[in-house]
Amino acid sequence: MFTGIVETTGEVRDVIDEDGGRRVRIGADLDGLAHGQSIAIDGTCLTVEDHDSGSFELFCSTETIERTTLATIGVGDVVNIERALPADGRFDGHFVQGHVDATAELRGVERIDDDWEFAFSLPESVARYVVEKGSITVDGISLTVADLRPDSFTVAVIPATYDLTTLSEKAPGDPVNLEVDVIAKYVERLTEGYR
């Protein structure tokens, strides 16, 4: 499990397409990595398969490639990184599984005093799970929905989040990974027989 509090960013150093997916090496200064650990890359839960002092390698399955923006990353791209929450860790953000529900598109960015407002498209397939002032994960970043419309939503981004994540490099038209609040999906499932 993750929290959506991005730990750092990393640079894609190598991408190798293989049968059944693609292998990706990411450069980042992370202490304590181990083979088999879960790690979220732009909000996608993956497994560390190899690592050294300055990089680590992951394998993205066909399923992952088809459902996320990781199909489009290339050498030199920067990605958000969050390691899994340890059992005794501090819980900030919100419950994030690293299971991307849909991809969306950045529609606009506006600077408002010291903050930024980001507007994203909202795919119909996940719109019912998104509520104003509720949590949503965008490229692995836990954010609060500031404004909700039938086909879009906006979030307010503080300077710390803007500077620490890849949001500062995004431009309108760029794709992003979305994960809706898993609690909404469980509530829907549990109440199916009562509607």
Side-chain angles (χ1 to χ4, degrees):
M1 187 180 82
F2 304 93
T3 65
I5 304 301
V6 172
E7 184 175 348
T8 189
T9 58
E11 183 178 331
V12 177
R13 291 194 178 160
D14 196 19
V15 177
I16 301 170
D17 290 314
E18 300 178 354
D19 288 341
R22 66 187 343 205
R23 197 160 296 285
V24 179
R25 181 160 286 276
I26 297 173
D29 186 19
L30 294 172
D31 294 331
L33 277 185
H35 175 82
Q37 283 183 330
S38 292
I39 194 163
I41 304 301
D42 280 349
T44 307
C45 180
L46 298 167
T47 302
V48 174
E49 291 195 349
D50 183 40
H51 63 91
D52 58 32
S53 62
S55 68
F56 58 94
E57 188 173 281
L58 312 154
F59 182 75
C60 303
S61 68
T62 300
E63 165 87 1
T64 299
I65 297 302
E66 290 174 352
R67 289 183 172 259
T68 72
T69 61
L70 297 181
T72 62
I73 63 170
V75 174
D77 288 346
V78 178
V79 294
N80 293 319
I81 301 171
E82 181 188 356
R83 288 185 275 194
L85 177 68
D88 62 348
R90 183 182 177 103
F91 187 82
D92 294 318
H94 73 280
F95 291 111
V96 175
Q97 295 181 297
H99 302 163
V100 173
D101 292 302
T103 58
E105 182 179 285
L106 176 59
R107 288 193 171 166
V109 180
E110 183 180 351
R111 180 86 184 254
I112 301 172
D113 297 323
D114 291 335
D115 301 330
W116 288 262
E117 182 179 88
F118 281 71
F120 298 96
S121 64
L122 181 59
E124 185 179 347
S125 63
V126 297
R128 68 185 175 276
Y129 303 116
V130 180
V131 296
E132 191 169 320
K133 304 305 178 207
S135 297
I136 192 162
T137 308
V138 177
D139 273 353
I141 308 162
S142 175
L143 296 166
T144 301
V145 176
D147 183 52
L148 179 62
R149 303 201 174 181
D151 67 344
S152 66
F153 68 96
T154 63
V155 294
V157 175
I158 62 172
T161 302
Y162 185 84
D163 293 338
L164 181 65
T165 70
T166 59
L167 286 177
S168 60
E169 299 183 14
K170 296 286 183 191
D174 285 349
V176 294
N177 292 319
L178 296 182
E179 182 183 332
V180 298
D181 192 344
V182 69
I183 295 171
K185 293 191 285 186
Y186 280 122
V187 168
E188 178 185 61
R189 180 73 173 186
L190 290 169
T191 60
E192 278 179 351
Y194 299 99
R195 287 187 248 147

